[in-house]
Amino acid sequence: RLKTDAADFSRKFAQLAPSGQRARALEISPQAQDAFDDGRLADAEVLYESLVLLRWRDHKDALFALVDSVKLRTEIAVLRGDAAAVDRTWAEIDQTQSTLETHGKWSRRMGHAHDLLRIGLRFRKVEEIHRAILIIRDEALPLTQRSIVPLDWAATLDALGRAQLKYGELSLRSHAADAATSFRRALEERTIERSPIDWAASRHSLAEALLSIDDDANRLTNIKEAIENFRLALKVRTRE
């Protein structure tokens, strides 16, 4: 019954005149969200698909409703482990927001990589974690200029390091040294004075990477450095 109602809802929406699309979008959005929250993913997906049929994309409110619906569809795809659907949905976002400035493009690349990383970790799909690494390194990082947006640059490197570390854990091929390099670079801009919470997080991640490096000759040195980074992180990560 629910699937039938949702499909009928979608067909009716597709027949609406452009002038009524904004109001209809605002009506559909909460219903789709309710279906998603209740775990009715199939119903939610049908409703979100109906929002994609909006034709007046130049209307501000309608555009926001469309973008929100597409982003929520990525959440459904992640829960299903459907990386292809994630790719398609982020491609739709690219088309919808094709005129965004560099920061917006960077945010989209990071969002895409984050979704693939979640699929990789949730379903142990090493290839999706590797794809996330490539998107962060080859697409997102070039969109950040250290001299202009240093914290975005650092956030990108920190995300790269976390993905490299997880990739090594699942693939059984150590990428901890690469991860440690990424965290060290991030810490060049993530200082305790500028961004204490992020600084502590990167310090902690660097310590984990150092402990994971497969290097017998330098194991003691890496352990000592890891301990020091844990101690530094505790300057911010206090019990209180």
Side-chain angles (χ1 to χ4, degrees):
R1 171 69 186 277
L2 287 172
K3 291 183 178 180
T4 302
D5 290 346
D8 183 61
F9 197 14
S10 182
R11 285 194 296 272
K12 290 180 179 178
F13 180 82
Q15 297 170 0
L16 287 176
S19 60
Q21 288 182 348
R22 174 177 174 271
R24 197 58 164 165
L26 298 177
E27 181 181 348
I28 290 176
S29 293
Q31 295 188 40
Q33 182 66 62
D34 287 344
F36 178 75
D37 292 341
D38 292 342
R40 294 180 283 114
L41 299 186
D43 302 331
E45 195 162 29
V46 170
L47 293 168
Y48 291 140
E49 286 288 352
S50 69
L51 284 170
V52 178
L53 297 175
L54 281 166
R55 294 190 293 276
W56 274 43
R57 293 188 176 185
D58 57 341
H59 193 293
K60 185 176 180 181
D61 291 337
L63 176 60
F64 287 156
L66 174 63
V67 171
D68 286 344
S69 76
V70 172
K71 288 180 178 178
L72 285 168
R73 283 167 58 217
T74 66
E75 188 68 21
I76 294 173
V78 168
L79 291 174
R80 289 178 170 169
D82 190 345
V86 166
D87 294 339
R88 289 193 301 271
T89 307
W90 278 104
E92 289 179 29
I93 295 176
D94 283 341
Q95 293 175 0
T96 304
Q97 299 180 304
S98 59
T99 60
L100 281 185
E101 75 289 353
T102 300
H103 184 270
K105 295 177 182 178
W106 170 78
S107 296
R108 295 202 304 267
R109 298 283 73 74
M110 293 294 284
H112 189 180
H114 178 65
D115 286 340
L116 292 176
L117 181 60
R118 290 169 62 202
I119 288 177
L121 295 176
R122 184 183 180 95
F123 296 94
R124 302 187 70 81
K125 293 183 176 181
V126 176
E127 66 278 9
E128 302 308 337
I129 299 177
H130 184 249
R131 289 182 59 214
I133 290 173
L134 296 181
I135 291 174
I136 296 170
R137 187 191 68 193
D138 300 339
E139 298 180 34
L141 189 58
L143 292 171
T144 62
Q145 294 187 43
R146 180 177 179 179
S147 60
I148 299 175
V149 282
L151 293 182
D152 285 351
W153 179 83
T156 308
L157 285 166
D158 185 82
L160 177 60
R162 285 185 280 111
Q164 289 168 328
L165 199 55
K166 293 300 182 182
Y167 180 67
E169 291 175 3
L170 289 185
S171 67
L172 303 180
R173 291 175 292 179
S174 179
H175 289 263
D178 292 336
T181 298
S182 297
F183 292 131
R184 286 195 178 101
R185 292 182 67 195
L187 285 164
E188 292 172 13
E189 295 295 344
R190 278 188 167 181
T191 64
I192 191 171
E193 296 82 13
R194 178 185 282 172
S195 182
I197 302 298
D198 292 336
W199 173 83
S202 291
R203 285 289 177 191
H204 185 96
S205 295
L206 175 56
E208 290 185 328
L210 288 165
L211 291 176
S212 300
I213 293 177
D214 186 13
D215 181 1
D216 291 337
N218 296 293
R219 187 173 300 280
L220 183 58
T221 299
N222 290 335
I223 291 174
K224 289 180 178 179
E225 187 181 349
I227 291 171
E228 179 60 23
N229 275 281
F230 281 134
R231 284 175 175 161
L232 287 170
L234 286 171
K235 289 184 177 181
V236 173
R237 292 182 166 183
T238 61
R239 184 174 184 178
E240 294 77 16

